[in-house]
Amino acid sequence: MLVVVFRLISAMLLGMLLSSSLIADVRLPAIFGDHMVLQRDELVPIWGWAEPNEAVTVTILDQIHTVKTKNDGQWRIELKPEPAGGPHVMTITGTNKIELSNVMFGEVWICSGQSNMAWAVSSSDDADLESLTADYPNIRLISVPNVGTQMRQTEFQGAWQPCTPESVKSFSAVGYFFGRQLHQTLDVPVGLIDNAWGGSAVEAWIDRDVLEADESFRPLMEHWRKLESEYDYDKIVAEHQRKLKKWESEAAAAKENDQQPPPRPRGPGRNLLKGNQRPGNLYAGVLHPLIGYRIRGAIWYQGESNASRAVQYRSLFPKMIQNWRDAWGQGDFSFYWVQLADFRAESAAPAESDWAELREAQTMAMQLPNTGQAVIVDLGEANDIHPRNKQDVANRLARWALARDYGFQLAHRSPQYKEMSITDGKVTLQFDHVGSGLRTFDVNQPRGFAIAGEDRRFVWANARMVDRQTIEVWSDDVPQPVAVRYAWGDNPVCNVQTGEGLPLTPFRTDDWPLITQDKHVR
């Protein structure tokens, strides 16, 4: 009898446990949490999951929003605009209750791109001094781990943190210095979301469906479909293990005979199908979980991985910006990027350059509304693709945001080529956006200009400042010039800038064929 009773009680307890496990607790994606910053003065979506048809209530300040979940358990509400401030407490109540503390309203920016955006404060100039002073409790940081996948993610592993001397060390240096300038200038909370991935290609940041639907990217997508059909990472790993085992045996034999061991075989490398080059991988893996979180805008530092396909970047990069804006559904939010820095060896004579062509492609993207470019052709390092001076990079981005988004009267746009005229073998160049006027750095003579005739052979040009927005160039070797280029090279020697220190944007006046124009795949 006792056995029967025990079994009945056990069955009842098990049933209770099973039934309770079927009740889905209200939960939120990681982008919502303690210490988060919500965009001020805007409608702010909040979303999550719960039991289908469950009533969920979100409360903050004097706002109370109740909604029933859909059949799939998803729910979404929209907070009314609130001014900057905090800290506040947000509660989300269903069958359970979530309480989020230290919530602020302020300015929210996404910091994205490849390694120069991912580059940490701890590896930048004056890292020790910068971390010592990074005590900004109203700057909040969150990072998205690297996940490359074709499956659109709704969640990631991460949490908001207040900016401290410790937490800032591993965060994006460009992102932090940008956010710090905004915080100090605006005196409001700032939220920074870092989802950059080193070495990533721009096509990985675009929705795969968008790329597949665009005929101009057919060669790129055909390349990847073929690779996907043939690629076998398990086979690659197995072959590496076979070579490694053979090497271990040969190395042991060499050691016994006092001989030099053979070189260790290289590892199998990253699975290309889960990496940062495959079209759509990063859109699905590290961007999609953020889409819909209300932001002021995005800052972007990428292009190195696409330099060999610079002409293609003219289409890919604007496509990505528009894709993000369409997905967010909050209009043409601000999008500011960093043009490629100077890198590699200086050239003794004018030469073709894929990095110059990529810079041109980046400049062309400024045709999109609410975009801006930080020119840093003066901040790079010849021997390092990762310049340590991230402070000046971030300040040039911050100038765009402060001028365009927050109404400050600041110089923010680098001067750009406008037009030219030719008289008596000399080319007169006119420029726009010159600020307080063009000037030179280091030496009086403008440097970085090359000139060519109909033969398309460029030589270094002499140059002189005519007035605040005009430069004249010529060469005795080119009596009948037809084209001029400036700062056209991997690591150009150039010195024209505005009085505010913003470098002249690299340019060319010709439309001659480029070395990357037929490159469609890496």
Side-chain angles (χ1 to χ4, degrees), residues 345-354 356-357 450 458-460 485 487-490 515:
E346 296 175 358
S347 179
E352 300 297 333
S353 163
D354 56 0
E357 293 179 15
F458 281 92
V459 300
W460 296 127
R485 292 179 176 181
W488 194 266
D490 297 341
I515 59 175

Side-chain angles (χ1 to χ4, degrees), residues 60-184:
I60 187 171
L61 292 167
D62 61 352
Q63 295 195 45
I64 302 174
H65 301 267
T66 299
V67 66
K68 272 199 170 185
T69 62
K70 299 178 181 180
N71 291 334
D72 60 2
Q74 295 188 50
W75 59 267
R76 182 181 186 274
I77 63 96
E78 206 165 49
L79 297 179
K80 293 180 294 185
E82 295 283 359
H88 306 299
V89 174
M90 175 185 287
T91 60
I92 302 93
T93 307
T95 56
N96 61 308
K97 180 178 179 180
I98 299 173
E99 186 172 283
L100 305 181
S101 63
N102 200 17
V103 175
M104 311 294 287
F105 284 92
E107 292 298 308
V108 182
W109 288 82
I110 287 183
C111 314
S112 194
Q114 58 179 109
S115 56
N116 269 307
M117 181 62 78
W119 199 257
V121 171
S122 62
S123 298
S124 302
D125 280 352
D126 295 325
D128 49 358
L129 296 179
E130 294 291 5
S131 59
L132 281 175
T133 57
D135 186 13
Y136 294 100
N138 285 340
I139 296 178
R140 309 295 174 78
L141 316 171
I142 188 170
S143 298
V144 181
N146 295 345
V147 175
T149 178
Q150 297 286 289
M151 300 295 293
R152 293 181 180 177
Q153 303 296 295
T154 58
E155 182 60 297
F156 65 93
Q157 296 295 316
W160 288 95
Q161 301 178 79
C163 177
T164 68
E166 193 58 37
S167 66
V168 79
K169 291 179 181 178
S170 60
F171 195 76
S172 161
V174 171
Y176 165 64
F177 297 135
F178 170 84
R180 182 179 66 183
Q181 185 62 61
L182 298 191
H183 177 62
Q184 292 175 333

Side-chain angles (χ1 to χ4, degrees), residues 9-25:
I9 294 174
S10 298
M12 290 173 61
L13 290 172
L14 180 60
M16 291 171 63
L17 288 171
L18 288 173
S19 63
S20 65
S21 67
L22 295 176
I23 299 175
D25 284 346

